[in-house]
Amino acid sequence: MSDAAVPGTALYFDPDAYTEAHARSGAPSGPAGLMGRQVAGKEFLDAYLSHARTDVLTAVVRALDRGDVLATICREHPSNQTRVRRVVLVPEADFLPSVTSARPPASVLHIPCPPDAKYVWGRQATGARFAISGVTHTLSSTNAVQSLCNLVTAPFESFDALVCTSRAVVNMVRAVAGTYADYLADRFGGRPELRARLEVIPLGVNPDRFRPATPTERAAERNRLGVADDEVMVLCVGRLSHHAKAHPFPVFHAADQAARRTGKKVLLVFAGWAAHPAVEKAYRDGGARMASGARVAFVDGQDPAVRFGAWRAADVFVSLPDNIQETFGLVCVEGMASGLPVLASDWDGYRDLIVDGETGYLIPTQMINGATAQATTRLVFGQINYDHFLAECSQATIVDPEAAAEALARLVADADLRRQLGAAGRARAVELFRWERVIRAYESLWEEQAREVLKWSPPSRSYFGPAAYPAPEQSFAGYPSQWLGDDDRVCAVAGAMDRLPLFLSHPLTNVSNERRCRDVKTLTAVLQKVGMPRLVSDIASEFERASVDSIQAHATVAWLLKYGLLIRVTV
């Protein structure tokens, strides 16, 4: 296809969205260090330069000096050896006038986040003909949720698009926008609705960069990391954040049990980075105490050489998020492309990536109805900050620790199974998630938008929380494998009361404790009463009789389930 047949698409460019440079060498400039959206943005730009079918890159920039970074990236990119791509920079302040001119620079503007309503308000005011394309990353902040509400109230049209990286994200967007539309109809009448299209396009992977290691590469990287020949290396990659990414308990438990049940030597390696030394210290202590059957090591995941080397040394990749910040799981695709079997949470977009039993295993997740019913209300009102909100939701989310242990033990015990699942995962990653395919999907979407823009010429309240951000029970209803209600039965595990003090005192398992019962006497008394299966409602009532309110009671049940002190009984 010639450039003339490709619609003009402008990328909104800001270095923060497309580069990792500021977070290298283990010295992040901000408190969080390297962010997943930056990794994804950098990979997207690299793929766009490698595979986009246009020789002109039009970029909207906040200021021209931001464009200097893009010009350097383009000049130094390997694709520049075979094709010279012209870069056209449009200052943001000049964008609206430019698209109303006789020769507009683009008919579609792609923004690396949910689309900002200011562009469509400007479009309505000027009559400019252009479409907006945006993409989701984290959607749990109040700003992100407000952008979804704006999709209903701002003048977005059917030719605008929000790219969702997974089906779970589509469900979340519809839950928030739909609830907000219902509120508007109840308050003002009419039939408000989400007009912009929701398009599912995943993130991608470079299968030439992420690939199975050669025997020589594997030996060299294992030697560099100090992995013994008889050790099975289990790899986790990403930010060390027990409240905002993935709580490590299920991984610790799985590694510990896999080693004990198989008799194999298990090395659990975290290629990550922590926002604060205290967090890394807590992880190290947690590994020593909760995964004593395995060897646990930590390496600097912000160093690209270390991060990529770890993929080539590993035998199994594990990612068990329990956090509503997650939407896709790029590391799982990278793990599959690297030829590793992947052990992942059955959570949000992760379930779009892993084929359970074929490319790895999906570990069931659960949330408790009622445990976070006031969370979004308190966040919007300012009673808690965003970090506390994420922690509260995470502490009410269970990644089944026993299922994780069983699955990892299966993989640790069977090298042939690891190779079989790893090869299937590699094939799936190359077929469905290679960047060339993803970029073609974007180009197809933009072409449709460009064609369409040329043609442009009261219910009862049934939800918790504000309509602008419903409670997690509704907003993230599609994330867990299942929801547990008051009619489900749970039972205390053997030794629960003996293990209770550790989980009450350890910093990794003592998060958002003000939102649940912390009294040892009360918790012990309740555990003594659930030696036989009891309804969740009965257990919640036991806590309520001890002056614990209903929401805190349910959150306490979730906490006991999260750390394996209670288990769900299905018979």
Side-chain angles (χ1 to χ4, degrees):
M1 178 180 288
S2 67
D3 281 345
V6 178
T9 298
L11 303 183
Y12 185 93
F13 178 83
D14 190 273
D16 180 65
Y18 291 107
T19 65
E20 300 178 23
H22 68 285
R24 290 178 181 167
S25 304
S29 59
L34 183 61
M35 305 295 284
R37 62 175 176 80
Q38 294 167 333
V39 176
K42 179 178 181 292
E43 293 291 323
F44 175 88
L45 182 59
D46 174 73
Y48 184 85
L49 294 175
S50 298
H51 303 296
R53 295 173 293 187
T54 177
D55 289 326
V56 178
L57 195 165
T58 302
V60 175
V61 292
R62 189 175 305 167
L64 287 176
D65 62 345
R66 306 288 179 101
D68 293 341
V69 177
L70 177 61
T72 300
I73 292 173
C74 291
R75 186 171 58 252
E76 296 177 353
H77 195 266
S79 65
N80 199 42
Q81 310 246 337
T82 56
R83 64 192 295 188
V84 178
R85 180 173 279 108
R86 185 164 60 93
V87 178
V88 177
L89 300 178
V90 180
E92 185 177 23
D94 297 337
F95 177 71
L96 276 176
S98 73
V99 292
T100 56
S101 67
R103 299 184 63 184
S107 55
V108 180
L109 173 62
H110 178 68
I111 305 173
C113 59
D116 194 323
K118 69 183 181 183
Y119 294 105
V120 295
W121 284 116
R123 182 177 66 193
Q124 183 190 52
T126 63
R129 292 193 175 210
F130 68 95
I132 289 287
S133 165
V135 62
T136 60
H137 290 293
T138 292
L139 290 177
S140 47
S141 70
T142 52
N143 286 339
V145 170
Q146 184 59 55
S147 73
L148 303 184
C149 294
N150 288 341
L151 291 175
V152 178
T153 53
F156 287 94
E157 302 292 346
S158 60
F159 49 74
D160 296 316
L162 177 62
V163 174
C164 301
T165 54
S166 67
R167 294 171 298 165
V169 170
V170 171
N171 293 336
M172 189 275 178
V173 173
R174 292 199 184 282
V176 172
T179 299
Y180 191 54
D182 290 344
Y183 156 75
L184 293 173
D186 179 58
R187 189 170 181 86
F188 302 110
R191 298 181 61 185
E193 61 181 356
L194 176 67
R195 291 193 180 186
R197 63 190 285 178
L198 303 180
E199 190 83 8
V200 178
I201 301 178
L203 298 177
V205 68
N206 182 340
D208 296 325
R209 190 179 187 196
F210 292 90
R211 55 171 175 76
T214 66
T216 300
E217 290 169 337
R218 174 178 165 83
E221 293 299 340
R222 287 174 73 91
N223 181 65
R224 184 162 72 162
L225 291 174
V227 186
D229 291 341
D230 60 348
E231 285 185 310
V232 178
M233 177 177 156
V234 178
L235 176 65
C236 296
V237 174
R239 187 154 47 102
L240 305 180
S241 178
H242 58 296
H243 78 284
K245 290 294 286 184
H247 198 287
F249 169 69
V251 178
F252 287 155
H253 178 73
D256 176 78
Q257 290 300 303
R260 296 180 189 279
R261 296 177 191 183
T262 65
K264 302 280 188 180
K265 293 181 180 179
V266 174
L267 170 60
L268 175 60
V269 174
F270 287 87
W273 52 93
H276 193 278
V279 176
E280 182 176 344
K281 181 178 182 298
Y283 266 73
R284 290 180 180 274
D285 182 70
R289 301 184 66 186
M290 300 177 199
S292 58
R295 186 162 73 94
V296 184
F298 296 83
V299 296
D300 181 12
Q302 287 197 120
D303 183 336
V306 172
R307 195 162 77 238
F308 287 111
W311 290 115
R312 297 182 175 182
D315 297 292
V316 179
F317 177 70
V318 178
S319 182
L320 299 176
D322 56 4
N323 205 280
I324 58 174
Q325 274 209 126
E326 289 294 341
T327 55
F328 181 74
L330 180 58
V331 288
C332 290
V333 178
E334 294 172 344
M336 289 193 297
S338 299
L340 300 177
V342 176
L343 192 66
S345 301
D346 186 19
W347 182 254
D348 60 63
Y350 276 55
R351 63 172 62 104
D352 288 354
L353 310 178
I354 311 304
V355 181
D356 189 43
E358 293 184 20
T359 66
Y361 296 106
L362 288 172
I363 305 305
T365 58
Q366 300 163 338
M367 293 182 79
I368 293 287
N369 262 319
T372 55
Q374 292 180 349
T376 52
T377 303
R378 295 166 61 244
L379 175 66
V380 170
F381 195 67
Q383 292 175 294
I384 54 174
N385 64 25
Y386 183 52
D387 271 352
H388 290 146
F389 167 69
L390 292 176
E392 190 173 316
C393 292
S394 169
Q395 291 299 294
T397 302
I398 302 96
V399 179
D400 191 329
E402 180 55 29
E406 290 179 1
L408 187 57
R410 204 175 306 140
L411 290 169
V412 166
D414 193 337
D416 288 338
L417 179 64
R418 295 198 299 269
R419 283 189 287 270
Q420 175 188 332
L421 270 58
R426 165 72 180 177
R428 179 173 171 81
V430 171
E431 178 186 2
L432 299 180
F433 302 109
R434 67 185 186 278
W435 270 118
E436 182 179 3
R437 187 178 190 274
V438 171
I439 294 300
R440 292 292 174 266
Y442 269 98
E443 289 183 323
S444 177
L445 169 64
W446 295 334
E447 289 171 3
E448 291 181 27
Q449 289 183 269
R451 288 193 297 267
E452 291 173 11
V453 77
L454 293 176
K455 307 172 186 176
W456 179 37
S457 53
S460 60
R461 180 182 170 97
S462 58
Y463 50 86
F464 294 108
Y469 194 171
E473 280 88 339
Q474 184 161 349
S475 298
F476 305 99
Y479 276 36
S481 310
Q482 64 183 129
W483 286 88
L484 301 187
D486 283 350
D487 293 335
D488 285 286
R489 295 179 180 273
V490 298
C491 179
V493 301
M497 286 178 287
D498 294 332
R499 294 160 57 197
L500 178 63
L502 166 64
F503 296 120
L504 283 174
S505 60
H506 198 280
L508 288 178
T509 55
N510 198 25
V511 181
S512 291
N513 56 16
E514 72 281 357
R515 298 305 304 160
R516 63 176 185 272
C517 176
R518 292 175 285 169
D519 182 67
V520 177
K521 183 177 179 181
T522 301
L523 289 165
T524 301
V526 171
L527 286 173
Q528 288 175 334
K529 294 179 180 180
V530 288
M532 298 294 290
R534 295 280 299 276
L535 295 175
V536 170
S537 59
D538 292 340
I539 302 173
S541 295
E542 294 287 351
F543 283 114
E544 289 171 32
R545 280 191 280 274
S547 300
V548 179
D549 69 42
S550 177
I551 294 175
Q552 291 178 326
H554 283 83
T556 305
V557 174
W559 184 83
L560 293 168
L561 280 161
K562 182 177 183 69
Y563 297 111
L565 301 178
L566 293 179
I567 58 171
R568 179 172 178 259
V569 179
T570 57
V571 179

